[in-house]
Amino acid sequence: MLRLTRPQARSLRGCFCSQKRFHHHHKNVMAIRREDINVWERRAPLAPRHVKEITAAGHKVLVQPSNRRAIHERYYEKAGAIIQEDISEASLIIGVKRPPEEKVYPHKTYAFFSHTIKAQEANMGLLDDILKKEVRLIDYEKMVDANGFRIVAFGQWAGVAGMINILHGLGLRFLALGHHTPFMHIGMAHNYRNVSQAIQAVRDCGYEISLGLMPKSIGPLTFVFTGTGNVSKGAQEIINELPCEFVEPHELKEVSLSGDMTKVYATVLSRHHHLVRKSDGVYDPLEYEHHPELYTSHFRVSVAPYTTCLINGIYWDPQTPRLLRRHDAQRLLKPIRPSAAATEGSPELPHKLLAICDISADTGGSIEFMTECTTIEKPFCMYDADQHIDHDSVEGTGILMCSIDNLPAQLPIEATEYFGDRLFPYIWEMLSSDARRPLDEEDFSPQVKDAVITSNGGLTPKFEYIEKLREKREKEQILRKGGMKRVLLLGSGYVSGPVIEYLTRNTGIQVTVASVLLSQAEELAAKYPNTIPVMLDVTSQEGHMESLVKDHDLVISMLPYGYHPLVAKHCINKKVNLVTASYLSPAMKELQKSAEEAGITIVNEMGLDPGIDHMLAMECIDQAKADGATVEFYTSYCGGLPAPECSDNPLRYKFSWSPYGVLLNTISPAVFLKDGQVIEIPAGGALLESTIPMDFLPGFNLEGFPNRDSTKYAEPYGIQSAHTLIRGTLRFRGFSSAMSGFVKLGLINTEPCPMLHHTAAPVSWKALLCKQVGLPASVGDEAFQEAVFERIDKDNFRMEMLKWFGMLSEEAVPHADSILGAVAKHLEARLAFDKGERDMIIMRNDVGIRHSSGELETKHISLVVYGEQNGFSAMAKTVGYPAAIAASMVLNGEISTKGLVVPMTKDIYGPVLTKLKEEGLQFTTKSTLYE
C-alpha cells in the first residue's frame, strides 16, 4: 500500500504549490469539526501535514478538540492549527461524517459525506436543516473526475479493512466447522496499531499456507473480487500478501476442485464476465451504461458455485442486476455429499460458498439478502437462506456475512492520510467559498461545483431529483394501504398527539404527520397505528405540500395561523377538506367563494379558544333565544396555566404552547365593549395595564386582560343587543406586572436584531439590557442595575424577576432574529414543564340573560381541565380533541356545509360538545338570579 501512496504524494506536492500560488492572497478561516455520530469514527478529513500547508499559506485553521480522534491534537497544533471548541468563526467547516442537525451553523460551507444523494430517509432531516440554514453542502461522494470516478474517497482503505476482517472471519468460521487454520492468527483490522502490523499477520498466515498447513479436507480456497475500483484494489492488496494466484473467472471451477493447497486462488470479476442481455445473451458495454435493466447476471451459476469467499465492491443501482438473490443462496447452500475420504476428525465443508464480505454495504442491493449492515462491534452474522434470517454468530447453517458500512474507521490514521491527499488539492477553492454568495459567482472547479448539493437555501439543479425521490417514496408509503381515509396533519407540536390518538382509534383512518422536525413526527408515528411521518417545511416546500395535500382526503393544520391561507389555497385547488384550530382571519374569509366553488369544507376556530368557547357560548345563547330571552352581556376568559403546584416562578406561568405567541400577545391591541362603550387598547403593552382581578374561582388567584377584538363576535353570536362583550386571557396574579417589566425594557420587540444573529459574537444579557437602556456595555454593575430599576418604574418585584431569570448577568443571550425571539428561547428553557408536572386549562363564560319576565339571570359556565402526568397536557386535549372530532365528522359526512365553517351552529356544537364530554372534558353551569 505504501508503494501506491508515494507516487501520489509526489504529484500532490506539485499541486500544492500551484494551488498556493493561486490562492495565497486569500486569508480565510476553516475548521475541522469533531466526529460525533459514531463511537468508532476516529478519522479526520485532513492530516496535520495538510493543515501545515494551509496555515503556512496564511489561512487560519480551527480544530475542535476530540479525545477520540486517532491523530492526537498536539500534531495539529504543531502544524499551526488552533484547538478550540467554538468553530463559528470558520466560513468552511469540514468533517468526515454528517454532523447532528443542532450543531450545523447557518450560512457556512460544509464538506462531508452526507449520504443524501439517494434520498436516504435517515438523513433527510439533516438535509432539510441544511436547506433551512442556507448551508452550502459539498458532498465528497459526488467529487468525480471527467470519467465519473470518485476522486475524494476512502475506498481503498475500505477494501483493506474489509479484506482483513473477512480473513479473520474465515478463521472463526473454519473453526466452527471443525478446522484450525492459519487464518485464526489474523485479527480484526482495528486491533492493529497500524496497517503494517496487519499486513505482517496476513503474511504470517500466508507463510503457513505455503507450508501446506491448511486442512486437506477443506479443499482449495477461492476468492472472488467484484469491481475494479479502489475498493476492490484495496482488498486485492491484502490478498496479495498470501501465496495467491490470480486466474480468469472461467478457470475458477477447475482450481476450486483440483488447485494447489499451498496457495489460494483469486479472480477479479468485471461486468463482461457475468452480465448478458436478457434477450440474446450478449454484453454491450455502451448499452448497459444507459439501459442496465435490459441485462441479467449469470454469476449465480457461472462463478458463485466455485467461490469460497466473495468480496463485493460494486456500486448498485435499483436498475442494475443483482449478483445473488435469496433463492440463489438456498441453492448454493445445499449440502454437498461427503466423499469417502471425509472423517469425523477431517470433515469436508458443507458447501463451497462460506463467506461474503459486502464492502459496498448497499442493503438489499447487489446481494439481495444483505438487508442490514453489520457493525465493528458485531462484524459477522450467519445468513440462513432457508429461514431467511440472520444469526448473530459464526456457527450453524448459512453464509458468513460481513457488511460493515464504516470500514475505513478501523484504520483511521492511514485512512486520514490517504483521504487528505485526495481532498487537499480542492481545499484551496473551498476556502474562498462564501455561502451567502450565489453559487454561480464562485470560482469552483467542476469537481467541486458538481459536488455542491445545496446552496443558498435550495437544492442545486443537479440534485433537485432528491426531492422527487422523497416525494415518490412518501407517496408509495401513504397509498400502500387501500380503502383508508387519509388525513394529513400539518404540525407535530404540543397538541398533535391527541389528534392522532383520537383519529387512529378508527382502523379505517390513516394519518400522515408532516413536520419541519422529522424526529418529532417520527416519535409520534411510533406511538400510534396507521401513522406515517414525513418532513415538510411549508415556508420553502410549497410544491411538496401540494403533492401531500393531493394524496389525502382531509388536512388538519396545526401550524401558526399565518400559514392557513396558503394551506387552504392548496386544499381548494385539490378539492380536499380542511380543519384548523385558529381564528378565521381576513385572508381566510376571502377564500369563502373559492371554497364553495371547489365543493369543500373548511372548518375554522375548532380548538379551545377559539373553539370550545364559541360552542359553549352558542349553546347558552341559542337556548336563551329559544326561551324568548335576550342577552345583555357576555364575558369569556380562558387561559392555559401551570397547575398551582407547578407555578413557582416569577411569571407564575409555564409554556404549554408557542412561547413566541404567548409573549407577542402581551403587546397586541384589544377592542371590547363595556357598558355600551367601545374601548380600544393600543398595541405596545398597554394591554397589561388593563388587567383586572378575576374572582370567580378565588382559590386560583387569577387575573385577566382583554384579547384581540371582542366586538366582532356580536354579530356571529347574534347578541347585538348586549351592552358588554369581552373576551380575555387568564393568568395567575402577578403575570401582567412581571411581563410589563419586559415591555418597559424593550424586550418584547419583533424588529430584526443583528447583534443577536446566529453569525454574531455572543452577547450577554447585561450587554443587551445596557443597549436597551442606553448605557455602554462597560458600565459597572451598580450603575447598570440602577438604570434598569429606573426603567421598570422602581418595581422590586420586576427587579427580582429579572434576577431570577438571569437577565442581569453575563449569561449569553440565545441567538435569534429578534430580541423577542431570544427572550422566547430563554424563557422556554426555564419555564418548560418538567417530567411529571401538570398544566391546566381554565375557561369561564358569564352570560347575562334578560328573561321576558324582566328577571336577569347570569349563567356561569366553567371548564377546568388538568393535564395528565406523563400523558397529554390539558392544552393538548382541549385543542387537539375538538379538531380531531371535527375532522372525523367531516370525513363521516356529519359536517357537510361547503365553504368556511365555524362551530356556532347547533348541528356542529351539539355533537362536538357531547363527544368532548366523552373524552373527560366536563363543563359546569351555575346561575345567579337578579330581580
Side-chain angles (χ1 to χ4, degrees), residues 97-386:
K97 295 292 189 179
R98 53 157 288 175
E101 286 95 316
E102 67 273 12
K103 294 185 179 180
V104 174
Y105 292 95
H107 306 294
K108 304 288 186 185
T109 298
Y110 275 82
F112 56 85
F113 287 106
S114 72
H115 300 294
T116 59
I117 60 173
K118 297 180 186 176
Q120 292 96 316
E121 196 166 355
N123 295 317
M124 290 301 94
L126 171 68
L127 181 63
D128 293 322
D129 189 67
I130 282 172
L131 289 167
K132 186 176 182 179
K133 292 176 178 175
E134 298 186 12
V135 163
R136 176 171 292 156
L137 170 60
I138 300 170
D139 194 317
Y140 304 133
E141 191 171 354
K142 298 308 293 181
M143 293 181 70
V144 297
D145 63 18
N147 296 316
F149 294 112
R150 289 173 59 183
I151 53 179
V152 180
F154 290 100
Q156 180 167 339
W157 291 96
V160 169
M163 194 68 222
I164 294 168
N165 292 341
I166 200 63
L167 293 178
H168 167 71
L170 278 172
L172 298 177
R173 181 59 179 154
F174 281 131
L175 188 64
L177 293 171
H179 309 279
H180 170 78
T181 66
F183 295 109
M184 281 298 295
H185 303 303
I186 299 175
M188 289 289 289
H190 62 268
N191 287 334
Y192 297 101
R193 185 172 179 275
N194 53 49
V195 74
S196 298
Q197 289 185 354
I199 289 173
Q200 188 57 53
V202 176
R203 287 174 179 166
D204 291 344
C205 171
Y207 176 69
E208 292 192 20
I209 292 173
S210 68
L211 295 177
L213 298 182
M214 283 292 290
K216 297 293 187 290
S217 60
I218 285 178
L221 300 187
T222 55
F223 294 82
V224 173
F225 298 85
T226 60
T228 56
N230 288 331
V231 168
S232 182
K233 289 174 182 175
Q236 290 171 51
E237 281 286 306
I238 297 300
I239 201 75
N240 275 324
E241 301 297 343
L242 298 175
C244 179
E245 179 182 339
F246 277 81
V247 298
E248 288 298 312
H250 69 270
E251 299 174 307
L252 205 61
K253 180 178 181 180
E254 180 182 348
V255 298
S256 73
L257 296 174
S258 57
D260 186 345
M261 289 294 293
T262 63
K263 63 175 72 172
V264 299
Y265 295 90
T267 191
V268 180
L269 201 69
S270 296
R271 289 175 177 175
H272 68 276
H273 289 128
H274 67 108
L275 294 174
V276 292
R277 193 159 44 216
K278 296 173 184 177
S279 59
D280 57 9
V282 175
Y283 175 69
D284 181 337
L286 290 177
E287 182 186 54
Y288 180 78
E289 283 292 334
H290 296 95
H291 296 286
E293 72 279 1
L294 300 178
Y295 285 73
T296 187
S297 169
H298 55 66
F299 173 83
R300 61 190 179 277
V301 294
S302 61
V303 180
Y306 317 110
T307 302
T308 306
C309 180
L310 167 64
I311 298 89
N312 184 37
I314 56 174
Y315 174 84
W316 184 78
D317 182 89
Q319 300 298 316
T320 58
R322 287 188 165 92
L323 284 177
L324 291 174
R325 294 160 294 182
R326 179 190 174 189
H327 61 265
D328 299 326
Q330 288 175 320
R331 185 175 53 80
L332 291 166
L333 292 180
K334 286 183 179 178
I336 300 172
R337 180 176 297 178
S339 69
T343 67
E344 185 177 352
S346 298
E348 293 178 341
L349 298 178
H351 41 76
K352 185 65 178 178
L353 182 59
L354 289 184
I356 296 176
C357 182
D358 192 356
I359 301 175
S360 68
D362 277 321
T363 55
S366 53
I367 310 296
E368 182 186 41
F369 47 83
M370 197 287 282
T371 56
E372 188 175 350
C373 291
T374 59
T375 65
I376 296 175
E377 297 97 325
K378 294 183 178 180
F380 306 112
C381 68
M382 292 291 295
Y383 174 68
D384 184 334
D386 287 328

Side-chain angles (χ1 to χ4, degrees), residues 25 46 63 66 93 129 153 163 214 219 253-254 320 329 442 459 524-525 595 680 682 717 755 781 811 835 851 868 912:
H25 63 284
L46 295 175
V63 176
S66 173
I93 300 174
D129 189 67
M163 194 68 222
M214 283 292 290
K253 180 178 181 180
E254 180 182 348
T320 58
E442 299 288 1
L459 291 165
L524 284 167
E680 298 186 15
Y717 281 6
M755 70 184 293
D781 282 346
E811 182 180 345
K835 187 175 182 180
H851 290 281
E868 304 163 9
V912 173

Side-chain angles (χ1 to χ4, degrees), residues 753-807:
C753 184
M755 70 184 293
L756 297 180
H757 199 268
H758 293 280
T759 57
V763 175
S764 70
W765 280 109
K766 179 185 174 183
L768 177 62
L769 288 182
C770 281
K771 177 178 179 293
Q772 295 301 101
V773 299
L775 291 175
S778 58
V779 70
D781 282 346
E782 186 175 345
F784 163 65
Q785 294 201 19
E786 282 182 8
V788 171
F789 193 51
E790 186 75 29
R791 182 64 63 91
I792 59 176
D793 297 338
K794 299 184 177 180
D795 188 302
N796 288 316
F797 171 68
R798 293 169 181 165
M799 199 70 179
E800 289 304 312
M801 174 204 65
L802 291 169
K803 290 179 182 177
W804 194 91
F805 284 116
M807 299 172 78

Side-chain angles (χ1 to χ4, degrees), residues 756 763 765 811-818 821-827 830:
L756 297 180
V763 175
W765 280 109
E811 182 180 345
V813 180
H815 287 295
D817 294 329
S818 65
V823 172
K825 288 181 180 180
H826 185 72
L827 295 188
R830 284 158 176 76

